[in-house]
Amino acid sequence: MNSNKKPIRIALIQMAMAEGAEVNQEEAERLIREAASGGAQIVCLPELYLGRYFCQTEDRQFFDQAVAYPGELAPRMAALGKELGIVLVVPFFERRAAGVYHNSAFVVDADGEILGLYRKMHIPDDPGFYEKYYFAPGDLGYQSFATKFGNVGVLICWDQWYPEAARLTALQGADVLFYPTAIGWHPEEKEARGVEQHGAWQAVQRGHAVANGCYVAAANRVGNEPNPGGGHIQFWGQSFISGPAGQLLAEASVENVEVLFADLPLDEIEVQRQEWPFLRDRRIDSYGGITERFGKP
Amino acid sequence: MNSNKKPIRIALIQMAMAEGAEVNQEEAERLIREAASGGAQIVCLPELYLGRYFCQTEDRQFFDQAVAYPGELAPRMAALGKELGIVLVVPFFERRAAGVYHNSAFVVDADGEILGLYRKMHIPDDPGFYEKYYFAPGDLGYQSFATKFGNVGVLICWDQWYPEAARLTALQGADVLFYPTAIGWHPEEKEARGVEQHGAWQAVQRGHAVANGCYVAAANRVGNEPNPGGGHIQFWGQSFISGPAGQLLAEASVENVEVLFADLPLDEIEVQRQEWPFLRDRRIDSYGGITERFGKP
């Protein structure tokens, strides 16, 4: 094998969110320090970790939670990453301009450099997940960030259902696809559909790992969060890390705040891609129809 | 729901192959009749079911096993389908012209009409699976065939590792993606890697079902087949059918010849796609890079 990639340890922060950005930031920093103490070199937070999942309802007041990039948050996280000597994947509600908001994430390198931004490309809109109201679709395309400890692909939540997003990020060289996530059950659906919904979520992402011969790591939130309009969502936790054969390397609980670790021998990516040479045989001459909505080009 | 699609029963033929095309054809017909007796309306055979898996070695003599299309095989299967009132997915080694051979499959409708041809787009080449020697890459693109009992997408074996192939076939309207398959373990790898290899195979296909909100049905062969050059492959059976949430609806054994049935409520496709509206949110403006081999366009 020729990749010369060193093994790394990563950690996913599975958090429960309280009211108030500073409270959540401090909790995130506590958990990041715990991750670093445990040897993690790349740490990923869950989607929109600075607050409750406000997209349960459409209310203009929540735009006030958006923050600038790099603003104050990115330098603060860069300083933390530098202090601990680790890479951080940091999702946040981005205020780009008056009326232009994104669901974004930035990456800071272990030396404190702010490497850049990913803006969520696929924006959901379902009952209780009214994201199209808040977030303009991303316009930066699919990103892999070269860090001290490996190439970090960043995608966010709803992106995880799209093989195109996983493929395009892997084709940028990502060793690990990180998915900051906020997914849960509607209480009224959980008993009948809960196992199936979670199963679909995990299956499609393990499929991305297999198809691309890379690692996949999804960091979800936990806990019940009330909907100001009534009801609540039970975020289903179960953050997980998959190997390039789709094997589960680590999986967190349904209900607990946790730091989930996994050791990733990154040189396994090249071994896997030699043993299963899918990337060699892609019929790129035949994929043009992928840019169609439906039917033939 | 508006699809007006009727529930159907499908069957996958999990076969072990003997020497001699006519012997295998008769066994296939026996199993197809068993499937029809069991109420199956669409029946799929495993890849290259007319013979042993000759691609274990590169030997010019095996080109003599290729047959014309429609030739004798397609009318024979069309007559069988018409007699039984069922749709058949029939894989075969296609002789298109001197020196032009394909790994193909045709579909016959329940009224005996021969609906058309799919030619395997992704051709593997690994130790023991030397298909690039035998088969020219398909040039017909991704196909969905409108049959009496639903829209039948056909892909073949190595295609199953490619999200692009599944997506493009689903975008043609396929209700079910059928994957005639010939996959197995090298005996020397089975103990160490067997579970992982099979797990990857199933995971990536369950992922296709989820991402596209359609059914997936993979018909594999079983049994040990000797390699004339030494060794053998143990075809791993475990043909399976997945629902549009990636749930396993039916799974065959590792070692037995079987007819694997599943009832597919096709109107669940539209329900699933309403509940998980992935197709609505595809960022077709951003997928152009899929036609690149690697890196940015």
Side-chain angles (χ1 to χ4, degrees):
Chain A
M1 93 191 60
N2 307 307
S3 76
N4 294 318
K5 291 204 185 253
K6 295 194 173 66
I8 60 169
R9 179 170 291 181
I10 68 168
L12 302 179
I13 306 297
Q14 178 165 294
M15 269 179 77
M17 281 58 165
E19 285 289 341
E22 186 56 28
V23 172
N24 292 307
Q25 177 65 21
E26 286 171 13
E27 171 74 347
E29 292 183 6
R30 181 184 73 78
L31 292 163
I32 289 168
R33 289 180 186 282
E34 184 179 324
S37 297
Q41 294 158 302
I42 305 177
V43 178
C44 178
L45 290 160
E47 184 183 19
L48 300 168
Y49 74 93
L50 285 173
R52 293 268 172 80
Y53 185 70
F54 55 82
C55 312
Q56 290 195 61
T57 187
E58 298 192 2
D59 188 332
R60 191 172 65 81
Q61 68 166 314
F62 292 115
F63 287 108
D64 292 341
Q65 296 188 10
V67 299
Y69 172 82
E72 295 177 8
L73 182 63
R76 179 172 176 172
M77 294 306 252
L80 181 64
K82 183 174 181 178
E83 176 199 330
L84 301 173
I86 62 175
V87 172
L88 295 172
V89 180
V90 185
F92 70 111
F93 183 14
E94 179 189 4
R95 182 188 182 282
R96 185 176 181 182
V100 185
Y101 308 89
H102 294 285
N103 187 332
S104 302
F106 60 83
V107 178
V108 299
D109 208 348
D111 64 359
E113 186 184 355
I114 300 167
L115 293 178
L117 194 63
Y118 170 76
R119 291 181 175 134
K120 187 173 182 174
M121 292 290 284
H122 300 87
I123 310 294
D125 191 290
D126 301 289
F129 296 83
Y130 299 108
E131 296 199 15
K132 289 192 195 296
Y133 174 74
Y134 295 101
F135 309 124
D139 59 346
L140 296 174
Y142 305 94
Q143 310 273 333
S144 173
F145 301 94
T147 76
K148 179 177 179 185
F149 299 114
N151 295 329
V152 169
V154 181
L155 293 160
I156 300 175
C157 203
W158 194 238
D159 291 325
Q160 58 208 169
W161 302 96
Y162 293 85
E164 294 93 342
R167 177 71 95 204
L168 286 161
T169 305
L171 291 182
Q172 303 312 308
D175 298 313
V176 188
L177 305 180
F178 285 97
Y179 288 98
T181 301
I183 194 167
W185 292 295
H186 291 297
E188 69 277 14
E189 290 182 358
K190 188 186 171 190
E191 188 171 331
R193 308 290 303 277
V195 169
E196 177 183 299
Q197 290 174 352
H198 170 262
W201 178 75
Q202 190 183 80
V204 76
Q205 292 178 87
R206 290 176 56 216
H208 300 331
V210 173
N212 295 291
C214 66
Y215 294 90
V216 165
N220 195 19
R221 63 174 68 197
V222 283
N224 284 304
E225 294 189 25
N227 179 349
H232 64 275
I233 296 177
Q234 184 188 346
F235 292 95
W236 70 40
Q238 300 176 80
S239 301
F240 73 94
I241 299 163
S242 167
Q247 69 278 47
L248 268 188
L249 301 178
E251 186 175 22
S253 67
V254 178
E255 294 192 328
N256 299 324
V257 172
E258 285 182 51
V259 179
L260 185 72
F261 295 91
D263 290 314
L264 312 186
L266 292 188
D267 52 14
E268 276 298 314
I269 292 172
E270 191 152 2
V271 173
Q272 179 75 10
R273 290 180 182 177
Q274 288 171 358
E275 292 191 343
W276 296 96
F278 308 139
L279 296 183
R280 177 193 68 191
D281 291 336
R282 293 178 66 238
R283 287 291 307 274
I284 56 175
D285 60 304
S286 73
Y287 297 159
I290 290 282
T291 60
E292 299 294 320
R293 180 68 64 209
F294 197 80
K296 289 203 184 283
Chain B
M1 95 194 53
N2 307 306
S3 76
N4 294 319
K5 290 203 187 254
K6 295 194 172 68
I8 60 169
R9 180 170 291 181
I10 68 169
L12 302 179
I13 306 298
Q14 178 165 294
M15 270 180 75
M17 281 60 166
E19 285 289 342
E22 186 57 27
V23 171
N24 292 306
Q25 177 65 21
E26 287 171 13
E27 170 75 348
E29 291 183 6
R30 181 184 73 78
L31 292 163
I32 289 167
R33 288 181 187 280
E34 184 179 324
S37 295
Q41 294 158 301
I42 306 177
V43 178
C44 178
L45 290 161
E47 185 183 18
L48 300 168
Y49 74 94
L50 284 173
R52 294 268 172 80
Y53 184 71
F54 54 83
C55 312
Q56 291 196 58
T57 187
E58 298 192 3
D59 188 332
R60 190 172 66 80
Q61 67 166 314
F62 292 115
F63 287 109
D64 292 343
Q65 296 187 10
V67 299
Y69 172 80
E72 294 176 9
L73 182 63
R76 179 172 177 173
M77 293 306 251
L80 181 64
K82 184 175 181 178
E83 176 199 332
L84 301 173
I86 62 174
V87 172
L88 295 172
V89 180
V90 184
F92 70 111
F93 183 14
E94 180 191 2
R95 182 189 181 281
R96 185 175 180 181
V100 185
Y101 308 89
H102 294 286
N103 187 331
S104 302
F106 61 83
V107 178
V108 300
D109 209 347
D111 64 358
E113 186 184 355
I114 300 168
L115 293 177
L117 194 62
Y118 170 76
R119 291 181 175 134
K120 187 172 183 175
M121 292 291 285
H122 300 87
I123 310 295
D125 191 290
D126 301 290
F129 295 85
Y130 299 108
E131 296 198 16
K132 288 191 194 298
Y133 175 73
Y134 293 102
F135 310 124
D139 59 346
L140 297 175
Y142 305 94
Q143 310 274 333
S144 173
F145 301 94
T147 76
K148 180 177 178 185
F149 299 114
N151 295 328
V152 169
V154 181
L155 293 160
I156 300 176
C157 204
W158 195 238
D159 291 324
Q160 59 209 168
W161 302 95
Y162 293 85
E164 294 93 340
R167 176 70 95 203
L168 286 161
T169 305
L171 291 182
Q172 304 310 311
D175 298 313
V176 187
L177 304 180
F178 285 97
Y179 288 98
T181 301
I183 194 166
W185 293 294
H186 291 297
E188 69 276 15
E189 290 181 359
K190 188 185 170 191
E191 188 172 331
R193 307 289 303 278
V195 169
E196 178 183 298
Q197 289 173 351
H198 170 262
W201 177 75
Q202 191 185 80
V204 75
Q205 292 178 87
R206 291 175 57 215
H208 300 331
V210 173
N212 295 292
C214 66
Y215 294 90
V216 165
N220 195 19
R221 64 174 68 196
V222 282
N224 284 305
E225 293 189 25
N227 178 349
H232 65 274
I233 296 177
Q234 183 188 345
F235 292 95
W236 69 40
Q238 300 177 77
S239 302
F240 73 94
I241 300 163
S242 167
Q247 69 276 46
L248 268 187
L249 301 178
E251 186 176 22
S253 68
V254 177
E255 294 193 330
N256 298 324
V257 172
E258 285 181 51
V259 180
L260 185 72
F261 294 91
D263 290 314
L264 312 186
L266 293 188
D267 52 13
E268 277 297 314
I269 292 171
E270 191 151 2
V271 174
Q272 179 74 12
R273 290 181 183 178
Q274 288 171 359
E275 293 191 342
W276 298 95
F278 308 140
L279 296 183
R280 178 192 67 191
D281 291 337
R282 293 179 66 238
R283 287 293 305 276
I284 56 176
D285 60 303
S286 73
Y287 297 160
I290 290 282
T291 61
E292 300 294 320
R293 180 68 64 206
F294 197 81
K296 287 202 184 286

